[in-house]
Amino acid sequence: MVLDDTLRKKLIASVEDGFAEQIAYTQDLIRLQSVRGEEFVIQDRVFNELRNRGYAMERFDMDREAIGRHPGGSPFSDDHSRAPIVVGTHRPRDEAGRSLILQAHVDVVPPGPESLWTHPPFDPVIEGDWLYGRGGADMKAGHAANLYALDALRRIGLQPAATVYIQSVVEEESTGNGALMTHLRGYKADAVLIPEPEDEKLVRANVGVVWFQVEVRGLPVHVREMGTGANAIDAAYRIIGELRKLETEWNARKAGRPNFENEEHPINLNVGKIEGGDWESSVPAWCRIGCRVSIYPGVSAKEAAAEIEQRIAKFAREDSFLSNIPPLVTFHGFHTEGYELPPGSEAEKVLADAHLGATGKKLESFMTAGYLDTRVYALYDKIPALCYGPYSQNIHGFDERVSIASLKRITTAMTLFIAEWCGVELATPE
């Protein structure tokens, strides 16, 4: 349906009326320290919020075997979250509009040393236009926006005239298995909207991600006889150097890829963890590095993993130390392909109109070099997968923060989008 000016104005005013409550709820979510594996409490809170609004509820666990069989599944490890997935379902009286998935994740990355934060990481302080806190931008602000965009309709006596699934997942920051599990569970719709912090832009293309570990083993000796041993940490640094060469080569492959060829450095290798050795005065016998690397859409994680393994094996054969004790390469966590959003869908047009109505500006699109759950719906449901959310700073860093004014604009755009995409009906029959 096309929104008339009167309804548009009512919806914009309704978002404003509920916005103070929305910010307070977002702050409550930030206070719940939902790092990987500790999302049980926040999922209980989300479940209750949805149930109290009358949505039909389901809570379910990951199906490890089903995920393992799927080409988009990532490997499980001892660190994999066992927290449940929560889905609330709105069903209209008359299925007249187009169905929609609204999804958000509750898991957040570790905050790092608290001493490097201006405010404690899980203390949702507001200063000026900024709401601070770990996970506030990525993506508890968007999580709350999903709920309060629907509330804005209810506040003026309306509801979507189509089925809407409100999905709260885990493992977005580690494997992407949470979103994949909702797909495997059978939740399907005509479009999906995920309000990640994307600076009020629509994501046009998104990289895939592969996580892997390289373990080097050496020969420990006393430092006075260091020349007779083999330093595993030194060897790990040599492997990192070779991986940097591979990163350079992958970046050169951007040629001919329209969404990537104008980016200076679309493929990033991050050596995110390193540990090794047992004693300052012993030559280290082991070293383990944990890495994350991005891949272009159309390149499978399996292909990328094979190239990484082959590259490290070839380098090891030519290294005087590593050729005797080859490094061990294991893949864990993300094992996901990227996606590209074809322009011209009706869902994108509706979002563009909603964005214009909420911000007064034309909707822009861009490529982002991080993982997004939208890949599940773009690749496997083959539906318009819209990732669009508020302006933020320092996500995954210290003093993570989200713009409050931007969040209001985004919530307004989402409300307008839902009303036009799904259509509306009276929440209570006359």
Side-chain angles (χ1 to χ4, degrees), residues 145-397:
N146 282 341
L147 185 59
Y148 279 83
L150 293 168
D151 281 0
L153 291 173
R154 291 182 168 208
R155 201 172 289 111
I156 60 173
L158 300 175
Q159 64 183 16
T163 297
V164 178
Y165 301 113
I166 309 102
Q167 300 180 174
S168 180
V169 304
V170 299
E171 282 290 314
E172 193 274 348
E173 299 288 6
S174 308
T175 62
N177 284 341
L180 182 63
M181 191 62 232
T182 65
H183 163 80
L184 293 172
R185 192 76 172 184
Y187 289 99
K188 301 289 188 293
D190 295 317
V192 62
L193 175 60
I194 302 181
E196 290 274 11
E198 301 298 351
D199 296 348
E200 301 187 12
K201 298 177 183 178
L202 175 66
V203 175
R204 178 66 62 199
N206 182 229
V207 296
V209 174
V210 174
W211 275 12
F212 62 99
Q213 288 183 343
V214 183
E215 183 171 351
V216 179
R217 296 156 297 166
L219 178 63
V221 295
H222 193 282
V223 291
R224 71 182 183 183
E225 299 161 345
M226 187 169 177
T228 65
N231 189 309
I233 293 176
D234 286 346
Y237 274 102
R238 295 197 296 276
I239 290 174
I240 291 171
E242 186 64 19
L243 290 172
R244 290 294 178 204
K245 293 178 183 177
L246 182 62
E247 177 189 26
T248 299
E249 293 172 17
W250 284 10
N251 273 286
R253 297 177 193 175
K254 67 182 181 180
R257 300 177 185 271
N259 290 309
F260 296 87
E261 60 187 357
N262 294 323
E263 298 291 328
E264 182 177 351
H265 200 274
I267 299 299
N268 295 301
L269 167 72
N270 181 57
V271 182
K273 294 177 67 176
I274 183 167
E275 54 185 343
D278 300 293
W279 189 254
E280 283 80 352
S281 290
S282 294
V283 176
W286 68 280
C287 182
R288 184 183 303 113
I289 57 173
C291 303
R292 175 266 193 206
V293 68
S294 47
I295 56 177
Y296 295 109
V299 176
S300 72
K302 183 178 180 180
E303 292 169 339
E307 187 169 356
I308 291 166
E309 280 190 302
Q310 291 164 10
R311 186 62 168 260
I312 293 174
K314 181 177 183 296
F315 178 78
R317 287 193 298 269
E318 299 168 355
D319 184 275
S320 59
F321 162 43
L322 295 170
S323 59
N324 293 315
I325 311 178
L328 299 175
V329 181
T330 56
F331 293 89
H332 69 109
F334 281 121
H335 208 71
T336 60
E337 187 176 332
Y339 75 93
E340 294 177 290
L341 176 68
S345 70
E346 181 64 17
E348 182 177 336
K349 180 182 181 299
V350 173
L351 181 61
D353 290 344
H355 176 81
L356 181 63
T359 69
K361 298 178 180 179
K362 182 180 178 181
L363 179 63
E364 299 179 25
S365 62
F366 75 124
M367 184 281 291
T368 183
Y371 170 82
L372 294 172
D373 272 342
T374 15
R375 60 104 191 183
V376 170
Y377 310 97
L379 295 174
Y380 309 123
D381 284 344
K382 300 189 183 304
I383 60 174
L386 309 175
C387 190
Y388 161 86
Y391 184 77
S392 67
Q393 292 182 348
N394 305 331
I395 58 174
H396 290 209

Side-chain angles (χ1 to χ4, degrees), residues 18-224:
F19 194 64
E21 181 183 329
Q22 178 180 341
I23 291 297
Y25 177 62
T26 306
Q27 290 177 294
D28 285 348
L29 295 181
I30 294 171
R31 290 186 184 98
L32 299 174
Q33 302 181 26
S34 52
V35 296
R36 190 184 195 191
E38 298 178 16
E39 309 97 337
F40 293 90
V41 173
I42 194 170
Q43 288 291 65
D44 284 345
R45 173 68 187 274
V46 170
F47 184 95
N48 290 330
E49 289 287 337
L50 292 170
R51 182 177 59 181
N52 291 343
R53 285 166 168 80
Y55 296 113
M57 298 305 302
E58 186 180 18
R59 178 163 34 195
F60 51 92
D61 296 329
M62 302 274 188
D63 184 333
R64 182 169 181 168
E65 291 186 2
I67 290 172
R69 291 192 299 267
H70 194 277
S74 296
F76 278 67
S77 69
D78 292 341
D79 296 325
H80 197 286
S81 178
R82 291 173 173 79
I85 296 161
V86 170
V87 179
T89 301
H90 159 78
R91 297 202 182 277
R93 291 189 307 280
D94 180 18
E95 194 82 43
R98 294 164 290 199
S99 58
L100 180 66
I101 292 170
L102 296 171
Q103 187 187 288
H105 65 90
V106 294
D107 53 311
V108 305
V109 302
E114 278 200 29
S115 61
L116 297 177
W117 287 72
T118 302
H119 312 287
F122 297 104
D123 183 8
V125 170
I126 293 176
E127 288 185 350
D129 182 48
W130 296 107
L131 170 57
Y132 286 81
R134 169 58 82 232
D138 187 16
M139 63 168 297
K140 291 176 179 178
H143 198 296
N146 282 341
L147 185 59
Y148 279 83
L150 293 168
D151 281 0
L153 291 173
R154 291 182 168 208
R155 201 172 289 111
I156 60 173
L158 300 175
Q159 64 183 16
T163 297
V164 178
Y165 301 113
I166 309 102
Q167 300 180 174
S168 180
V169 304
V170 299
E171 282 290 314
E172 193 274 348
E173 299 288 6
S174 308
T175 62
N177 284 341
L180 182 63
M181 191 62 232
T182 65
H183 163 80
L184 293 172
R185 192 76 172 184
Y187 289 99
K188 301 289 188 293
D190 295 317
V192 62
L193 175 60
I194 302 181
E196 290 274 11
E198 301 298 351
D199 296 348
E200 301 187 12
K201 298 177 183 178
L202 175 66
V203 175
R204 178 66 62 199
N206 182 229
V207 296
V209 174
V210 174
W211 275 12
F212 62 99
Q213 288 183 343
V214 183
E215 183 171 351
V216 179
R217 296 156 297 166
L219 178 63
V221 295
H222 193 282
V223 291
R224 71 182 183 183

